[in-house]
Amino acid sequence: MTIKEKGYSHWEGELAEKKLPWWPITRFGIRSTFRKKFFKFFFFGALLPAVVFLVGIYISERLEDFRFMIRNQTNFLTVDPGYFKSYFTGDFLLFMMVAILVFCGSGLISDDLKHNSLQLYFSRPLKKGQYFLGKASVIFFFLFLVTLVPGLVFFIMKLIFAGNFKFFASYPWLPLSIIGYSVLVTLFFALYTLFLSSLSKNRRYVSILIFAVYIFSDIIFGIFYGIFRSPYFALISLKVNLQQIGAFIFNQKLPYSIPWIYSFLIIFSISLLAAVYLKNKVKEVTIIK
Amino acid sequence: MISIDKKSAAAFLDSIGKSFSFFFFLGKKVNRTKVFILISFLPVIMAAIIKCIQYFNKNYWLEDLSVFSNIIIFFYLQFLILILALFFGSSISSEEIEGKTLTYLTTRPIPKSALILGKYSAYALLIILMVNIGVILSFAVLNIDHLLDFPRYKILLRDMGVLTLGLICYTSFFAFIGTFLKKSILFGLIFSFGWENIIQYFPGSTQRFTIVHYLKSLLPQPVRGRFSFLLFRLEPSSTGTAIMMLLLITAVFLGLACLVFSQKEYILED
Amino acid sequence: MNPVIEVKNLSKWYGNVLGLNDVTLQIEPGITGLLGPNGAGKSTFLKLITGQIIPKIGTVSIKGKKVRNNYPLFREIGYCPEQDSFYEELTGKEFLLRLLSLFPYSPPEAEAKAEQALEIVELTKEKDRVIKAYSRGMRQRIKFAQAIAHDPEILVLDEPLSGLDPLGRRKIIRLIKEYQKKGKTIIVSSHILPEIEAMTKTIILIHQGKVFAQGDIHYIRDLIDTHPHIVSVKCDQPRLLAEKFIHEDFVLNVKFSPAEDSLLVETDNRDKFFSLLPSLFIENKIEVQEITSPDDNLQAVFDYLVGK
């Protein structure tokens, strides 16, 4: 027996799409992350370095008032691109960013896979790219709050505290560096997290993977570097690769004597592979005409 | 009276055995176990890379046993066994609750404590096998030129013993955390890479509040030099105390896990 | 007959949400249908009587023994939960076999029981496929199989027919009836009245955490029959039909649909109404297109019982 007629007909009209169809996904992701126990505690922990660096910027402009506290140790209070680099590539901040990813990112796709809810998304006027954008924006939101936002606040506060534009005149490219690095690190972590989240329906397993891959790559680098002292082993560590790129973007001396472009290529390749995997893993509803 | 006690003890052990075989079978089947097997074999690849580099470049010559004890074993001790124990330990109850399969277990004629103990034994055995096979292979790769040097195997056995003790201890701790907390993984990560990694370097008795202190106390102290940082600030407990403490911690947390699992009401959310 | 299951003043709430409120009842051997709309408290009741959750107030006993943490009792209880959750990586047979291995059976015994249960639910051909590859109906059947595999005296089935096609439903209903013939105690929950009607005459009507009625299904049917009912008749001459009905004493109200192609009749005696209806059609040569009862459902009964 052949089926001659379909039980449905295609609608040929113009679809009046919402301007931001991915926004409900992002809004839900942000809200549900804030509802998690301990998240706020963690998130404020991740903002601690920002507070410390902001205080540092204030003190740097009032050195005379704080002379009794800092004596001659003024080197670390020199606010220049190196100061910004120290904030952005600090081990603690990167670690806290990974912890935030565990909270906000582990279930982003794995929960949808677990509950078979992909069909629900794609039965609405939502494209695959918009779905990913909605999910990734949850990560963008939280990571920008600990990278881009503090970075720009530091810059603006430096100008306000100084009361002149000397700092801006000296480093006019710095805002671009702040934006560039924040976007790069956030984009990488978003793809990294979404990729790992799409590997399993089990959110606990994904949480472990997000944390373990980051730490693991750094430990292996530490071991090999400890034995062989070759800086090329730095390419194994996700953390060191981000620090290398950060040092380049802020025009600072690279922590390891290997070209920054190698680190960039590693990070770019991982992001690309993650994007390709995600594209193939998440299937849209196929319309047969 | 005594015979009744013996009978009920035998029945309880039988229940643990049944639970063990159920979960050992299940543990072997799930794909996640295969991924963790791969992860636990990564040190073997590391060992092979180290050996290859040493083979082609004699400038990097290091004593094989030193690399094994100070690098490979510490990698297992400070990272791998924590990750494995955290995932498998907290899974003992969490995966049943999150997967809503708990109902199938709690409607069987088997005590809840036997379910926990059986599943704990099954998962602990799985990860002990994963880790020790990886350790043996790493040892073989690094000592490929000295495989007939039997005194070296003493070190292998000692290190395997320490890791096994570490696994059973951490797994029992995380099993308890899994029965108790909803977000056991997050707590476990903070405990593993926060508490255990920081407090162990505190001076005096403070470091005795970590499990890793007792594990490191069972390892020989390296001579001052390249790898002395690995036992940095360790004020070791005696071997007897360390073993006793590890077994005590295991027993206490297993007991607590059984108690909580038997008494706590788990609402399986939709 | 001695009650098999006895609950006294059973109450359960989750935070501020009331699950079950002061339920006292006894269940005897045979099939008992637990009927109520979604969220009525059926699953809470079944979880309480199988010891899955702890009552805030009240007691549950099965054969005079407390249930929670009384693990030997579970040799006699088979529970088919509502949720669609499994050890997905296991095959159907492994799932049954492994769960049976938690009973005091020898491996050959467990094997035989697993095969038998698979045969009963007609999954023998698919026994070696992993559960994650099963269809919804097959998953429902394997869930039913694990509840009956150890041949329990008491079967507690939470929505066992959901997700099954009509054929599958008939098979499960037939199976449940066979269990009844063996003298077993079966509690089946559903929110669909005809499903319960097809299995049993003894029902417990539960709504908003309370038992509204317990006993023979005819009692519930009478309740349906005595409260005013609306029947919609779609035909070519609704106004003529209305004229014939309006003089009858069992007709309380007559209305037309907005399109004026249907007649809505409110009656307090359905039997009289339906016995008169065919003769009116024939005598007046009215062409009928459709007869429906917009409020002939469980919710309508509950609404009536709670006085809405």
Side-chain angles (χ1 to χ4, degrees):
Chain A
M1 192 179 83
T2 52
I3 299 166
K4 291 183 178 171
E5 273 184 49
K6 285 183 290 201
Y8 61 92
S9 57
H10 287 279
W11 183 64
E12 302 293 350
E14 274 293 309
L15 193 63
E17 284 185 23
K18 278 178 101 178
K19 271 187 183 167
L20 303 171
W22 48 270
W23 172 241
I25 300 174
T26 308
R27 189 179 52 203
F28 175 75
I30 293 168
R31 278 186 187 164
S32 59
T33 305
F34 270 120
R35 274 201 293 266
K36 281 175 191 160
K37 260 186 191 173
F38 306 121
F39 175 71
K40 284 173 196 153
F41 171 76
F42 253 88
F43 190 64
F44 290 118
L47 287 172
L48 266 183
V51 175
V52 172
F53 274 73
L54 195 60
V55 171
I57 291 172
Y58 176 75
I59 294 174
S60 72
E61 290 299 330
R62 298 280 183 276
L63 274 180
E64 285 310 311
D65 300 341
F66 293 93
R67 185 69 65 194
F68 69 98
M69 275 171 67
I70 51 179
R71 296 186 186 144
N72 295 323
Q73 306 291 315
T74 51
N75 283 353
F76 74 98
L77 283 176
T78 311
V79 177
D80 57 7
Y83 189 83
F84 282 78
K85 180 229 132 191
S86 302
Y87 172 75
F88 279 106
T89 61
D91 286 2
F92 181 75
L93 182 69
L94 287 168
F95 181 85
M96 290 310 282
M97 283 163 83
V98 175
I100 290 172
L101 294 178
V102 172
F103 270 106
C104 74
S106 54
L108 280 178
I109 295 181
S110 70
D111 284 354
D112 290 345
L113 295 174
K114 183 180 173 185
H115 299 117
N116 265 336
S117 49
L118 285 177
Q119 296 163 23
L120 292 178
Y121 284 104
F122 297 125
S123 61
R124 281 149 180 79
L126 185 81
K127 295 186 181 102
K128 196 152 73 171
Q130 291 164 336
Y131 168 79
F132 286 131
L133 182 62
K135 296 286 179 183
S137 296
V138 179
I139 298 169
F140 293 161
F141 174 79
F142 288 110
L143 294 195
F144 278 152
L145 279 181
V146 293
T147 55
L148 184 65
V149 174
L152 293 175
V153 169
F154 293 165
F155 191 81
I156 294 164
M157 294 314 275
K158 174 69 188 166
L159 297 181
I160 292 172
F161 290 147
N164 56 50
F165 284 91
K166 228 191 231 173
F167 185 70
F168 182 63
S170 307
Y171 309 108
W173 47 267
L174 192 56
L176 288 179
S177 298
I178 294 168
I179 295 167
Y181 181 75
S182 301
V183 169
L184 183 131
V185 79
T186 302
L187 201 61
F188 166 70
F189 273 137
L191 285 165
Y192 167 80
T193 308
L194 290 182
F195 163 67
L196 293 176
S197 183
S198 70
L199 287 182
S200 170
K201 291 176 181 177
N202 186 327
R203 169 202 275 263
R204 298 171 57 255
Y205 177 63
V206 174
S207 300
I208 292 240
L209 282 182
I210 291 173
F211 209 84
V213 173
Y214 177 79
I215 299 270
F216 193 77
S217 69
D218 200 44
I219 294 177
I220 294 183
F221 150 68
I223 289 172
F224 281 118
Y225 186 69
I227 298 173
F228 301 112
R229 297 279 164 204
S230 166
Y232 282 92
F233 283 111
L235 297 174
I236 299 172
S237 166
L238 294 178
K239 184 183 86 182
V240 177
N241 280 314
L242 291 172
Q243 288 171 334
Q244 286 279 101
I245 298 169
F248 168 75
I249 290 179
F250 288 98
N251 199 22
Q252 299 297 301
K253 186 176 179 287
L254 301 183
Y256 295 91
S257 54
I258 44 168
W260 70 273
I261 192 75
Y262 291 180
S263 290
F264 179 78
L265 285 174
I266 297 272
I267 294 294
F268 179 75
S269 308
I270 294 172
S271 307
L272 190 69
L273 285 175
V276 171
Y277 180 83
L278 282 167
K279 190 172 175 280
N280 293 324
K281 171 85 182 189
V282 175
K283 298 261 187 295
E284 266 180 302
V285 174
T286 315
I287 299 167
I288 304 157
K289 288 206 177 192
Chain B
M1 188 72 184
I2 291 168
S3 67
I4 290 171
D5 282 348
K6 271 188 184 168
K7 238 184 190 178
S8 57
F12 186 67
L13 283 176
D14 182 52
S15 297
I16 295 174
K18 287 176 192 298
S19 165
F20 169 83
S21 67
F22 180 99
F23 289 108
F24 193 69
F25 179 83
L26 191 69
K28 280 190 300 179
K29 277 213 94 174
V30 296
N31 289 332
R32 292 190 294 277
T33 307
K34 286 159 199 160
V35 174
F36 280 110
I37 289 173
L38 276 178
I39 291 175
S40 59
F41 280 12
L42 280 174
V44 184
I45 299 167
M46 277 164 56
I49 294 170
I50 293 170
K51 197 71 190 163
C52 281
I53 295 175
Q54 284 183 346
Y55 189 76
F56 290 112
N57 192 341
K58 298 291 178 196
N59 293 336
Y60 291 126
W61 186 255
L62 275 169
E63 220 290 302
D64 299 329
L65 266 184
S66 168
V67 172
F68 177 72
S69 286
N70 294 308
I71 304 290
I72 301 295
I73 293 302
F74 268 84
F75 182 64
Y76 274 109
L77 196 68
Q78 297 263 85
F79 179 71
L80 263 182
I81 65 167
L82 283 162
I83 290 286
L84 290 171
L86 171 58
F87 185 74
F88 283 89
S90 61
S91 289
I92 290 171
S93 52
S94 298
E95 75 180 359
E96 304 295 342
I97 299 157
E98 286 167 16
K100 292 182 227 160
T101 44
L102 184 67
T103 314
Y104 296 121
L105 302 176
T106 51
T107 51
R108 307 290 131 181
I110 191 164
K112 286 178 183 168
S113 48
L115 282 171
I116 287 284
L117 293 175
K119 194 168 180 184
Y120 165 80
S121 317
Y123 280 9
L125 181 63
L126 268 177
I127 55 179
I128 286 169
L129 286 174
M130 276 183 215
V131 165
N132 283 320
I133 292 171
V135 168
I136 292 168
L137 291 174
S138 307
F139 179 85
V141 169
L142 285 169
N143 293 279
I144 193 104
D145 310 321
H146 310 95
L147 286 178
L148 294 175
D149 185 1
F150 293 108
R152 285 175 180 247
Y153 289 95
K154 262 190 192 170
I155 293 165
L156 172 68
L157 289 176
R158 180 203 64 206
D159 291 347
M160 284 168 64
V162 172
L163 293 178
T164 303
L165 267 174
L167 282 169
I168 63 166
C169 194
Y170 279 123
T171 309
S172 90
F173 177 72
F174 291 127
F176 165 64
I177 296 299
T179 57
F180 196 63
L181 290 178
K182 239 181 176 180
K183 300 266 178 250
S184 51
I185 286 285
L186 282 165
F187 178 87
L189 287 172
I190 297 163
F191 173 80
S192 305
F193 297 101
W195 180 267
E196 286 285 281
N197 257 332
I198 296 167
I199 304 296
Q200 61 166 314
Y201 299 117
F202 279 29
S205 296
T206 325
Q207 56 182 254
R208 287 180 173 78
F209 290 103
T210 63
I211 293 171
V212 73
H213 163 81
Y214 300 104
L215 293 170
K216 283 188 171 180
S217 296
L218 296 173
L219 295 169
Q221 310 305 301
V223 286
R224 283 210 154 276
R226 202 164 191 176
F227 298 114
S228 59
F229 70 93
L230 295 170
L231 294 178
F232 180 65
R233 282 185 186 270
L234 179 71
E235 295 172 31
S237 301
S238 70
T239 306
T241 309
I243 294 174
M244 282 293 291
M245 280 305 293
L246 289 167
L247 294 177
L248 187 70
I249 293 167
T250 306
V252 166
F253 283 113
L254 263 184
L256 284 173
C258 291
L259 187 73
V260 172
F261 189 70
S262 303
Q263 299 305 323
K264 194 176 168 186
E265 178 187 52
Y266 295 102
I267 310 277
L268 307 181
E269 287 167 9
D270 288 326
Chain C
M1 224 183 284
N2 283 336
V4 180
I5 299 167
E6 201 167 1
V7 303
K8 280 183 192 158
N9 308 112
L10 204 59
S11 296
K12 175 75 188 173
W13 51 89
Y14 309 94
N16 293 330
V17 180
L18 185 72
L20 210 62
N21 187 13
D22 198 23
V23 171
T24 299
L25 52 84
Q26 295 177 336
I27 295 170
E28 294 174 351
I31 303 173
T32 303
L34 192 62
L35 197 62
N38 292 326
K42 301 185 300 289
S43 291
T44 300
F45 179 74
L46 297 184
K47 282 176 190 166
L48 281 164
I49 64 168
T50 51
Q52 303 300 302
I53 52 176
I54 309 167
K56 292 281 181 190
I57 300 172
T59 54
V60 182
S61 63
I62 291 185
K63 292 187 169 179
K65 296 170 198 161
K66 70 157 188 123
V67 182
R68 190 164 163 88
N69 284 346
N70 186 2
Y71 62 90
L73 199 60
F74 286 99
R75 285 182 199 174
E76 299 174 55
I77 301 172
Y79 178 48
C80 177
E82 182 189 18
Q83 66 263 18
D84 182 48
S85 311
F86 298 91
Y87 297 104
E88 303 276 347
E89 288 90 352
L90 297 185
T91 64
K93 187 182 172 183
E94 283 168 349
F95 177 65
L96 293 188
L97 204 54
R98 292 290 146 186
L99 287 176
L100 280 166
S101 74
L102 298 175
F103 285 83
Y105 298 132
S106 65
E109 265 180 313
E111 172 93 24
K113 284 183 182 293
E115 290 288 354
Q116 194 185 4
L118 285 164
E119 208 176 301
I120 289 172
V121 296
E122 296 177 9
L123 279 176
T124 309
K125 273 187 193 165
E126 291 86 6
K127 67 180 180 182
D128 294 322
R129 275 168 63 185
V130 284
I131 295 178
K132 65 179 162 194
Y134 275 13
S135 68
R136 178 86 172 85
M138 285 155 79
R139 288 164 78 88
Q140 197 64 18
R141 278 187 279 157
I142 198 76
K143 197 161 72 179
F144 183 78
Q146 66 77 33
I148 59 163
H150 56 289
D151 196 21
E153 281 302 305
I154 302 158
L155 256 180
V156 180
L157 310 170
D158 198 351
E159 308 265 2
L161 305 179
S162 75
L164 291 175
D165 56 25
L167 204 65
R169 253 180 234 186
R170 270 211 296 278
K171 276 178 196 164
I172 297 286
I173 290 171
R174 198 192 64 224
L175 273 172
I176 292 170
K177 283 182 166 177
E178 278 171 20
Y179 269 83
Q180 181 197 20
K181 282 178 198 160
K182 291 180 189 170
K184 298 184 190 261
T185 307
I186 303 134
I187 307 169
V188 196
S189 80
S190 176
H191 59 276
I192 299 165
L193 188 58
E195 273 185 11
I196 295 287
E197 267 186 310
M199 283 183 267
T200 182
K201 294 199 178 339
T202 310
I203 66 159
I204 297 168
L205 199 63
I206 193 166
H207 186 47
Q208 289 175 344
K210 280 185 178 174
V211 171
F212 272 75
Q214 184 188 3
D216 196 286
I217 201 155
H218 293 305
Y219 170 66
I220 304 297
R221 267 288 174 211
D222 287 346
L223 286 174
I224 294 175
D225 291 345
T226 52
H227 90 274
H229 233 76
I230 295 171
V231 181
S232 163
V233 184
K234 194 175 180 183
C235 58
D236 60 343
Q237 299 175 70
R239 288 193 175 273
L240 176 64
L241 194 61
E243 190 193 316
K244 302 288 169 193
F245 268 130
I246 202 77
H247 305 294
E248 301 295 338
D249 56 356
F250 54 83
V251 172
L252 306 175
N253 193 1
V254 177
K255 276 195 283 191
F256 296 99
S257 67
E260 292 209 5
D261 59 349
S262 301
L263 179 70
L264 294 166
V265 184
E266 191 177 347
T267 170
D268 61 359
N269 194 326
R270 279 175 11 133
D271 290 345
K272 278 189 179 174
F273 173 82
F274 281 113
S275 60
L276 181 66
L277 196 58
S279 55
L280 286 178
F281 290 150
I282 296 163
E283 283 166 17
N284 299 288
K285 294 181 180 164
I286 296 170
E287 202 174 299
V288 193
Q289 289 156 6
E290 189 182 73
I291 303 171
T292 53
S293 288
D295 67 348
D296 185 10
N297 55 39
L298 204 50
Q299 191 59 50
V301 182
F302 287 121
D303 289 347
Y304 173 64
L305 285 170
V306 297
K308 272 189 189 173

